[in-house]
Amino acid sequence: MSVLQPGTPAPEFTLQREDGEAFTKDDFTGRTTVLVFYPFAFSPVCTDQLNLYEEVLDQFTAQGATLYGVSCDSSWSQRAFREKLGVTIEQLSDFEPKGATCAAFGVLHEGGFPQRALVIVGPDGVISWSYQAPSPGDLPGANLIFDGLAAA
């Protein structure tokens, strides 16, 4: 399975916000969105990744981009993870049905968790840039997102 490529319309999907409300494609239509797919809350690389992105979040925002973390963890786990890290990046759960959105974006690992991937969706709802790490243990630097935003 491989991450959806630029030029592909973002698939229809439903994720769950921390408050239990649904988050769908309609929630980001009209703005530039970066979906940060990560394997597991509280794992070392995921912790480092979200902390790194939080450090430069103002720079992403200045470029008109909104970041969302996406994993197959429950929304309760994601909330605890976000609060423990002290990050403001909203977390979206692909817990039920488990991995359905990750599969739709082409990033579901055969082990039932997301590959580490980044997907930028333009205001028109079309993927403008995507990246999948060679291994779930590889941390994609913030520079990749900046390069993706510049290329979009």
Side-chain angles (χ1 to χ4, degrees), residues 44-56:
V45 177
C46 297
T47 297
D48 291 345
Q49 183 179 19
L50 287 180
N51 279 328
L52 172 65
Y53 296 169
E54 184 73 21
E55 287 177 18
V56 295

Side-chain angles (χ1 to χ4, degrees), residues 1-4 11 37 99-109 115 117 119 132:
M1 187 172 278
S2 181
V3 65
L4 293 179
F37 293 94
T101 297
C102 293
F105 277 90
V107 300
L108 186 64
H109 186 278
Q115 297 278 9
V119 176
Q132 183 171 308

